[in-house]
Amino acid sequence: MNIAESVVAEIKSTIDELSHLVPHYTRRTSQLTMVNDIRNILCRDQSSNVIVCEAGTGVGKTMAYLLGVIPHAKLNNKSVVISTATVTLQEQIINKDLPLFQAAYHKPLSVALAKGRQRYVCADKLNKALGTQQPELDFEEALFHLPPTEQDMATLRRMASKLETNDWNGDIDSWNGELLPEPIWSAVASDANGCKVSFSAHKFCPFHIARSELSGADIIVANHSLVAMDLQLGGGVLLPSVDEAVYVFDEAHRMPDIVRDATASTMSLSSTLSVLESLNKLADKRKLTAALSPSLSQRISDEIKVNANDLIKSLRALQDFVATNEEVLFHGSQFHRFELGTIPNVFESLLLDVQTSTKAVRRTLGKTGNHLKAEIIDEGSNLVAEKGLSDLSFFIGRIDLVWTTTNLLMTHHTAGIQPAKWLERRDGKLYLAASEVSVGNSLLSWLWKKNSGVILTSATLRSLSVFDTYLSSTGLNLANHAAVFCRVYESPFDYQSQAKLIMPINLPFEPNDAEYVTWLKHIMFNLIKGEPSSLVIFTSHAQMQAVRTAVEHSCTTSKILLQCQGDASRQAILENHAKAIEQGLRSVLFGVNSMAEGLDLRGDLLTNLIIVRLPFEMPESPIAAAHMEYEKYLGNNAFYTVTLPKASIALIQSVGRLIRSENDSGKCTILDKRIQTKNYGEDLLCSLPPMSREYRQVT
């Protein structure tokens, strides 16, 4: 029996075993077709094999790709990397889907969960933050962008105590105490420069312990952000390389934007200046170079100070220019975006000065690191040199951020869409920022040209019933089309009998009308009061809270549990919702579009879905605005090429919350009259599951 035949045999035996393990197991044609298509694609003798699978709700896409990928990978000595959009979905695959597959699969599988460094605390940084090592105020000032409060310090102390007694593994997702504000957590989280396993103080940092578990694992469950970081580094750094593993991207509709966000770079001018001042103070005291001979330590420290002061001067010149032109640049807004990615000459000249100074500082810090490494090599072990090298790496990381940000700001592509480039005022600080808008060319280089097999799957990959937008956003339209296979696997659900789309015939206002929110407040309680379980999806938190205020008293009086996204953790809200339904009470969930992502409310947990308005993305972010601007530059109507396709995917995602199994039933009401009055409305409706439609008045 050859390998291809062995793969088929293993798939069949695993499916047979699943039919015995799972009560009422059904062999769904769409799922089996997906398994077979994945197997066929992976067996092709090509340098790149990519399959795009849109699997409707109920197909069982997770089990389909596990069946199609794992037997092939095991028999071909490949590992499997499964990447999904969030840590929550990672844990679902680890704790639910893979154990079921393993129970049916006759070969043992080793599984590891991979998260980015930023999910783990760095034990050394935590100690520095608490001053449990030699008090170094200058270093601590550099460590924190914002000073920690007493409450923050108490949380940090609890973290350190739990870490020391092994009652916490250093993973923020497993921390059950009070959470730290993001800037404080970032300051003590592991980072690539300072938290290295080669440093004695970091050998047992939580990230390195977790990272060691990935080695040799058959299946690694990662997330899109981590995969994007690894690909940016050249691949095979944090995860197996694309020629050593089969990659599966679940919730693949999120992948292009997450990869794009990973290319973004932002630096705070004031924080960078603070770091450089701290670097100067440490150089003054020769703390970083304490392991070197006095003469060498003095010479290098002097060089650090000279170069750091040059960079400080360049950054302050940039800061002064922005302050002088504040009104012209910002017009009272939070952002100033450089149109079509073009930097004015005077600003470009200032950036060039910053880059020149940054290179000099980076070169000196690199040279300092080499001297410290030589001390360690010569003496076999030198804790003073290791400490200097660890602290030095912190500053190298900050200097590298200056280089990355300014370099992206100075980037100009000879063809295609330019990076989005902007200045931002936030929390009284000035930020320089830039991001690629399209990652197609990057993904072409990183993934599509050569791989051992890539599966991209989600319930929503088409927009307006075609794959074109997705292929363009991922760069798969640039790849050899013979190597890209796109397929739709229809849901097995009977939407005509299970779901009803309510089409209100008397909507008085469009969502942008001034009276719309007032009307929404007036009618919302009537739409939820008689329903066992409701989910209302808004497009803004402000609108959600306004409607909540209007209906909260009526809900309380009628003994209806009303919860809003943000009231508690997502898990706690859903547990409260399920408990209320189980007790025979009525329950309502209010949330924005992000809450609908991946939400699985089966049976009585959701019978009434209300979509307040069509999920058109407002080009408020500099990246979205740059994309729209580029489309206009090409002569396209950005609404039809960008906004409408994205809205189609988001709307399908939201509507997909209603029917999650063959036994579910319910209704969906869309309170946006544009879906009935605008030319594009029918296109959006045709992209939705084939629910029966009912036209009625809403009062």
Side-chain angles (χ1 to χ4, degrees), residues 627-638:
H627 196 178
M628 301 281 281
E629 180 183 66
Y630 180 70
E631 289 295 319
K632 292 175 184 176
Y633 172 75
L634 294 176
N636 298 327
N637 185 324

Side-chain angles (χ1 to χ4, degrees), residues 357-376:
S357 302
T358 301
K359 278 195 282 189
V361 174
R362 182 62 173 85
R363 187 168 53 247
T364 301
L365 295 183
K367 185 166 59 176
T368 306
N370 290 336
H371 284 299
L372 291 170
K373 288 174 187 175
E375 291 290 326
I376 295 170

Side-chain angles (χ1 to χ4, degrees), residues 65 81-84 224 227 231 247-252 255 447-448 454-458 470:
Y65 66 66
V81 175
I82 301 171
S83 177
T84 189
H224 300 340
V227 174
L231 292 174
Y247 272 68
V248 179
F249 291 93
D250 201 344
E251 296 297 305
M255 180 222 190
L447 265 178
W448 313 139
V454 180
I455 293 89
L456 300 135
T457 185
S458 172
Y470 187 73

Side-chain angles (χ1 to χ4, degrees), residues 270-283:
S270 57
S271 294
T272 304
L273 286 167
S274 174
V275 166
L276 288 167
E277 295 287 2
S278 296
L279 176 61
N280 263 344
K281 290 177 184 177
L282 290 176

Side-chain angles (χ1 to χ4, degrees), residues 304-318:
I304 289 173
K305 286 191 291 181
V306 168
N307 291 328
N309 283 324
D310 284 344
L311 181 52
I312 288 171
K313 183 179 177 182
S314 299
L315 289 171
R316 283 184 175 154
L318 195 62

Side-chain angles (χ1 to χ4, degrees), residues 50 155 272 312 322 331 335 367 398 466 489 500 503 595:
V50 182
T155 301
T272 304
I312 288 171
V322 174
H331 300 291
F335 301 104
K367 185 166 59 176
R398 294 299 177 87
V466 293
Y489 305 92
K500 188 173 290 184
M503 304 288 285
M595 185 172 185

